[in-house]
């Protein structure tokens, strides 16, 4: 990795909510070696002329294998094609300033290694393997009349696998952890883009989710749950789930419980905005469109509730297929409730914590990885 000094760089101070005076950031072997002082003699330098040097952004809810919103067309793609498509999506994320991405179902260790080996340009991926879904749950894409067995489970572009029963759930968790999963994902509640499950349906038994929490805990990590309804979120918190995805329908009491239990929420508002704008044109049926409205209408209110409860929120988008172009919209939606500093923190420090990479990414500090975004102007003002 190249050694380089960035000079005349202004760094955002999230506590003071202002930009610091122009300074020097020295990078050696891909890590931040020094902040401040003079650039070392003979080291290549890049003059930022007062522009802002920020920590690379973190998207804590993404699916890099979700090439199309037509999930079935993704699933039947050969793994080689799915991998090439994912590589292109990952390049797009990096170009948009995301240097770390937590994948919530689909990506495998091959995509992680592809980046590490320099075969593809992409963000560092933090993977969970496949999302765990019960039969008839959020990842069961089969129509009611489709009685074929689930044969597509471990295909690369499938975001989830159907697993039922405590023993099989344990086996699936162990397999994924062995294959590089850094956390476990469970579909614990009904979903929008799935055909058979109402938003308020609870998915999996308590015992099955407890088994996942135990397996993840034994491996030193945690369970993340797809969850919308207040009842589902509350059940997840009680069962020991630590990462709460979406949370659109959360109530104040549950948010306080989640904060107390040390959970992190990952709101993904742009996904529903994108589905509202383009879902119908992209083939989303009337039943799924009705479910979009249920969660979209409560999105901004949920931000307010979670902030007031002191529940940390990590930045996530969950934009699938053609909706990826709405990534920037998440910032606009968050800005209706949160301050710029709160949003930046969610897309850096809080995300890093949820990726269990605190001090490594999401921060400009000595020893951290040199993952940067350079922007014109002041992100703490705009
Ligand atoms: Zn979800
Ligand atoms: Zn998702």
């Amino acid at each position: 990795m190249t050694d380089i000094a960035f000079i005349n760089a202004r760094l955002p101070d999230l506590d003071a909510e202002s930009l610091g005076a122009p300074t020097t950031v020295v990078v050696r072997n891909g890590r931040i070696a020094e902040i401040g002082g003079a650039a070392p003699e003979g080291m290549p330098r890049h003059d930022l002329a007062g522009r802002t040097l920020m920590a690379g952004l973190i998207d804590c809810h993404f699916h890099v294998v979700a090439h199309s919103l037509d999930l079935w067309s993704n699933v039947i793609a050969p793994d080689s094609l799915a991998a090439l498509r994912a590589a292109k999506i990952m390049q797009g994320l990096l170009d948009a300033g995301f240097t770390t991405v937590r994948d919530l179902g689909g990506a495998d260790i091959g995509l992680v290694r592809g980046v590490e080996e320099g075969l593809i340009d992409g963000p560092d991926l933090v993977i969970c393997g496949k999302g765990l879904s019960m039969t008839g749950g959020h990842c069961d894409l089969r129509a009611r009349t489709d009685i074929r067995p689930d044969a597509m489970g471990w295909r690369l572009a499938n975001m989830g696998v159907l697993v039922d029963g405590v023993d099989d759930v344990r086996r699936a968790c162990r397999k994924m952890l062995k294959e590089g999963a850094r956390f476990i994902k469970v579909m614990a509640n009904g979903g929008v883009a799935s055909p058979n499950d109402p938003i308020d349906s609870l998915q999996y038994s308590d015992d099955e989710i407890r088994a996942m929490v135990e397996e993840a805990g034994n491996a030193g990590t945690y369970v993340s749950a797809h969850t919308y309804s207040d009842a589902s979120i509350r059940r997840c918190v009680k069962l020991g789930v630590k990462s709460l995805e979406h949370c659109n329908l959360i109530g104040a009491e549950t948010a306080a419980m989640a904060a107390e239990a040390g959970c992190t929420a990952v709101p993904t508002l742009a996904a529903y905005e994108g589905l509202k704008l383009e879902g119908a044109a992209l083939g989303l049926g009337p039943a799924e469109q009705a479910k979009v409205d249920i969660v979209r209408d409560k999105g901004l209110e949920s931000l307010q509730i979670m902030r007031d409860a002191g529940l940390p929120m990590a930045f996530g988008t969950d934009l699938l297929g053609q909706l990826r172009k709405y990534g920037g919209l998440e910032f606009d939606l968050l800005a209706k409730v949160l301050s710029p500093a709160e949003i930046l923190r969610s897309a850096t420090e809080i995300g890093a914590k949820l990726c269990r990479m605190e001090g490594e990414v999401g921060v400009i500090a000595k020893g951290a990885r040199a993952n940067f975004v350079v922007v014109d102007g002041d992100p703490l003002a705009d």
Side-chain angles (χ1 to χ4, degrees):
M1 284 234 186
T2 326
D3 293 349
I4 188 168
F6 294 93
I7 61 170
N8 295 315
R10 301 190 71 187
L11 312 183
D13 180 336
L14 299 185
D15 294 322
E17 301 194 23
S18 64
L19 292 179
T23 188
T24 301
V25 177
V26 176
V27 174
R28 289 186 201 276
N29 291 319
R31 294 206 176 245
I32 299 170
E34 214 66 60
I35 300 169
E41 277 306 314
M43 182 181 271
R45 57 186 65 189
H46 187 73
D47 189 349
L48 295 185
R51 277 177 288 167
T52 306
L53 184 76
M54 307 166 35
L57 300 170
I58 303 169
D59 189 329
C60 270
H61 192 126
F62 208 86
H63 302 271
V64 299
V65 299
H67 165 75
S68 167
L69 193 58
D70 176 354
L71 303 182
W72 187 249
S73 78
N74 296 336
V75 170
I76 61 172
D79 287 353
S80 51
L81 181 61
L84 291 165
R85 286 170 168 174
K88 194 150 195 185
I89 290 169
M90 288 159 69
Q91 167 88 64
L93 284 162
L94 191 64
D95 290 344
F98 291 92
T99 52
T100 306
V101 169
R102 198 176 68 133
D103 190 279
L104 270 280
D108 69 0
I109 192 78
L111 295 175
V112 177
R113 292 270 171 88
V115 174
E116 287 172 356
E117 292 182 14
L119 298 172
I120 55 176
D121 287 331
D124 293 321
L125 282 187
V126 176
I127 63 169
C128 66
K130 303 296 183 195
L132 294 174
S133 169
M134 64 176 205
T135 295
H138 182 41
C139 289
D140 194 337
L141 302 177
R142 296 171 299 179
R144 291 209 186 276
T145 50
D146 183 350
I147 57 167
R148 288 172 293 177
D150 168 47
M152 297 294 185
W154 298 98
R155 278 274 179 105
L156 178 59
N158 204 358
M159 299 191 286
V161 285
L162 305 187
V163 181
D164 297 281
V166 168
D167 288 350
D168 282 354
V169 154
R170 287 191 191 279
R171 192 175 298 116
C173 289
R174 291 169 188 174
K175 168 182 163 58
M176 294 191 292
L177 291 162
K178 175 249 170 203
E179 292 172 5
R182 309 252 294 266
F183 62 103
I184 294 294
K185 166 81 180 293
V186 58
M187 305 301 179
N189 194 193
V192 169
S194 41
N196 305 311
D197 52 335
I199 288 289
D200 59 2
S201 68
L202 294 181
Q203 302 189 354
Y204 277 120
S205 66
D206 290 4
D207 282 346
E208 287 166 310
I209 294 177
R210 253 187 232 112
M212 297 173 204
V213 169
E214 187 185 1
E215 293 300 329
N218 288 348
T221 185
Y222 64 86
V223 172
S224 145
H226 158 98
T227 177
Y228 292 112
S229 75
D230 189 65
S232 163
I233 298 165
R234 187 174 292 221
R235 181 174 78 132
C236 286
V237 173
K238 282 184 182 159
L239 293 174
V241 170
K242 292 298 179 205
S243 176
L244 304 166
E245 311 302 312
H246 316 307
C247 292
N248 299 50
L249 308 177
I250 196 168
E253 206 177 298
T254 302
M257 262 178 63
E260 175 72 33
C263 298
T264 301
V266 188
T268 58
L269 305 184
Y272 313 107
E273 215 56 35
L275 284 169
K276 180 77 183 166
L277 290 168
E278 289 195 38
L282 293 171
L284 204 67
E288 288 82 28
Q289 288 173 47
K291 294 199 279 188
V292 171
D293 288 337
I294 296 173
V295 295
R296 179 181 167 270
D297 290 350
K298 292 285 182 193
L300 291 177
E301 194 183 323
S302 74
L303 293 183
Q304 192 86 55
I305 289 170
M306 293 190 281
R307 181 176 61 181
D308 292 350
L311 177 59
M313 288 179 267
F315 181 96
T317 58
D318 200 20
L319 288 163
L320 309 178
Q322 299 87 331
L323 302 180
R324 280 189 302 279
K325 63 183 174 194
Y326 291 115
L329 188 57
E330 187 69 30
F331 291 99
D332 295 334
L333 292 164
L334 293 172
K336 288 179 195 277
V337 177
L338 307 180
S339 72
E342 286 174 315
I343 298 170
L344 282 184
R345 216 182 276 283
S346 80
T348 55
E349 287 171 17
I350 298 172
K353 225 172 173 175
L354 196 55
C355 291
R356 298 166 62 236
M357 297 177 79
E358 217 177 346
E360 272 282 291
V361 298
V363 65
I364 296 185
K366 219 169 149 171
R369 295 193 201 181
N371 294 345
F372 301 130
V373 183
V374 176
V375 295
D376 293 321
D378 180 2
L380 289 161
D382 178 4

